[in-house]
Amino acid sequence: MLTELRIRNFAIIEQLTLPLARGFNVLTGETGAGKSIIVGALGFLLGERTSTDVVRTGADRAVVEGTFDVADRPELVTLLDERGIDVEEQTAVLKREVAAAGRARAWVNGTPVTAAVLSEIGRLLVNVHGQHEAQTLLDPDAQRGILDAFAGAASQAAAVRTAHASLASTRAEIADLTRRKSDAERRADYLRHVVREIEEARLAEGDDVRLEEEARRLEHAEELRSLAQGAYAAIEGDDESVLSRLGQMQRALASILRIDPARARLQELYDAGFYAFEELARELEEYEGSIDLDPARLEEVRRRRDLIFRLVKKYGGSVADVIRTGVTSRGELDLVDSAGLDLRALESHERAAAEQLRIAATELSALRTAAASRLARAVDEVLPFLGMPDGHFAATLMPSSETGPNGAETVEFRVTLNVGHDARPLSRVASGGELSRVMLALKTILARLDAVPTLIFDEVDAGIGGKVGLQIGDTMRRVAAHHQVFAITHLPQIAARAHHHILVAKGARGGVTTADVAVLETDRRVAEIARMLGGDPESEISRAHAAELLETASADEAAALADAAPPARDGAKARRGRKDAARNETPDASRPSSR
C-alpha cells in the first residue's frame, strides 16, 4: 500500500507531499491544477521513461519518492532480499531522480537500482489504469490477454508460444535444408569439378608467397652464387681481405694498450667485430653451397605458380579464398547424399513439435472455454451496478484455421446493451462511456485475482455522469475493500464515495506557478463536492446537495456492513428496507438538489 508520495521540482510542482490511506482515495481539483502531473510523477517513480523536460524550471533535478507498506506482501520482501535490498519495519521506500543535465538514478531503501529493477518492483506494488485505456479494450490482443489473466492461463499461453516457436523453427530448418539440397542437386556436376580441381591442387595457405620466393632464387641462382663468392672473398681472401686488415689492426691495438691500458674497451670492440666477420664468412660460405642451379625445379615451381594463379583468378582473391571455396563446395556436394537423412530427422522433430503444440493449445483452449463463461457471468453481475441493468457480456472463442502462437482460437468480446438486441462485437456497439464501464467491470473482476495492492484510476469516468457516476463510485468503493484505490476524477458522485479526499490546487510561490494538495474533511469536503456539482460552493443549495451525496455514501456503507454481520432473522428485512430507502432517497447527482 502506498502511504505517502513526495514530489519535488517535477513539472510545475515545487514541493508536494501526498498522504494516502487504506480504502478509496480520491484526488480532485480544477482542470490544469496538476492532478495528471501527480500521476505522471508516480509513473516516473515506478520506472516509466521520462525526459529532462519534467525538471521544474530553474531546478537542477526532479525527485519523486514513495513510501509503501509491504507488511502483507511477503513475496515482494523476498524479491527485495534477492536483489540485496534490506527491508526494515515492513516498509519499502522507492526514490528516483532525473537531473536537468540528463542523468537519472533510482534507489530502493537507499540501495541504488536500475530502472529495470525499479519497474519490476513497481509492477508488484501499483497498477495504473489511464483514462484512454478503455480504447485498448477494442484490441483483440488485449481481449485475449484479459481472458487469459482471468483464466489464470498465462503460463499455458506462454507454453503455446514456446511450442509454436519450436515448430516454426523446425519448419524453417526443413525449408532451408530442402532448398539447399535442391540447389546442390542442380549444381552437382559443377560442384564435383570444383572440388576435384581444388582438392587435387593440395593447396596450403601461403603457397603463393613461398613459390614466388623460391622462383626468384632459382631464376637468379648464378647471380646469387657469384655475389656470395665475392662477399666471402672480401672477408677471407688475399692480403687485402677484411680479416687480413683486421690482423694488422690487432697489432696496432696491442701497441696502444701497452702504452695506455685504460683503453681496454678498444680491444673488446675489436674482438666483437672480428668474431662477427668470421661468422659472416661462414654463413656466406654455407649460403653459396646451398644455391642450386636446378632448371627442372625452376620449371616445376613455375608450373605450380601458374596453377595457383589460375585457381585464385577463378575461385577467389587469395589462396585462402580458394581453399574456402573447396570446403564450401564439398559441403554442398555432401548434401546430395546426407540431406535425406537429415530431413527425415527434422521431419520426425516436426511431428513431435506439432503434437506438443496441439496438446498445449488444447489445454489452453479448455482453460479459455471454462473461463469465458465464468467471466461472462461475473461481468453480468457487475454491469447493473454500473448503470447497465440490461447489459450482457460474452467472451466468444472463434476457432482459427491453424493453431498460431496465441492458440487455436481468437477471442472476441461481445455485448448486448439493450433488451431484444443480439450480442455484437464490443467495438461496434459501445459508446465511450459504455466502453469505460465495461472496462471498469473487467478491472473490478480482475482486481479480485490481482495481488497488486494499489490500483490507480486516472479519469476513467470519461463520458459518464448522473446516477451512473454514483454506481461507479460504489463499485470503486467495493474494490477498495480488498485493494487500496486511488482515483483521479471530475465527478462529484465518485468523489463523494471516497474514504479519503485530497484536493489539488494551483497557486504561485515566489512568482512561479506550483501545485499544492490538501486533505479535505467536513466543511471543506462539502465545499469541494459543491464546486464539482457546478454550483456555487458557498450556496446553501449546492452545499446541501453535496452533503446529501456524502451522507448517502455513508448510509450505503453502514447498510452494507449491517448486512454483512450475522443478524437476527427478524431484523434482516428491516435492514434491507433501510438500505433501499437510502438508495431511493439519493438524488440524481447530475443536477443540483431543489431542496
Side-chain angles (χ1 to χ4, degrees), residues 98-136:
V98 58
R103 184 186 179 190
R105 297 187 296 171
W107 299 263
V108 176
N109 285 355
T111 301
V113 297
T114 64
V117 171
L118 190 70
S119 179
E120 180 185 13
I121 295 170
R123 283 194 299 271
L124 298 176
L125 290 169
V126 178
N127 199 333
V128 180
H129 309 297
Q131 57 183 312
H132 304 297
E133 188 179 2
Q135 293 298 320
T136 65

Side-chain angles (χ1 to χ4, degrees), residues 77-88:
V77 175
T78 300
L79 174 64
L80 294 175
D81 184 63
E82 291 172 351
R83 297 288 187 274
I85 301 170
D86 294 329
V87 177
E88 296 180 359

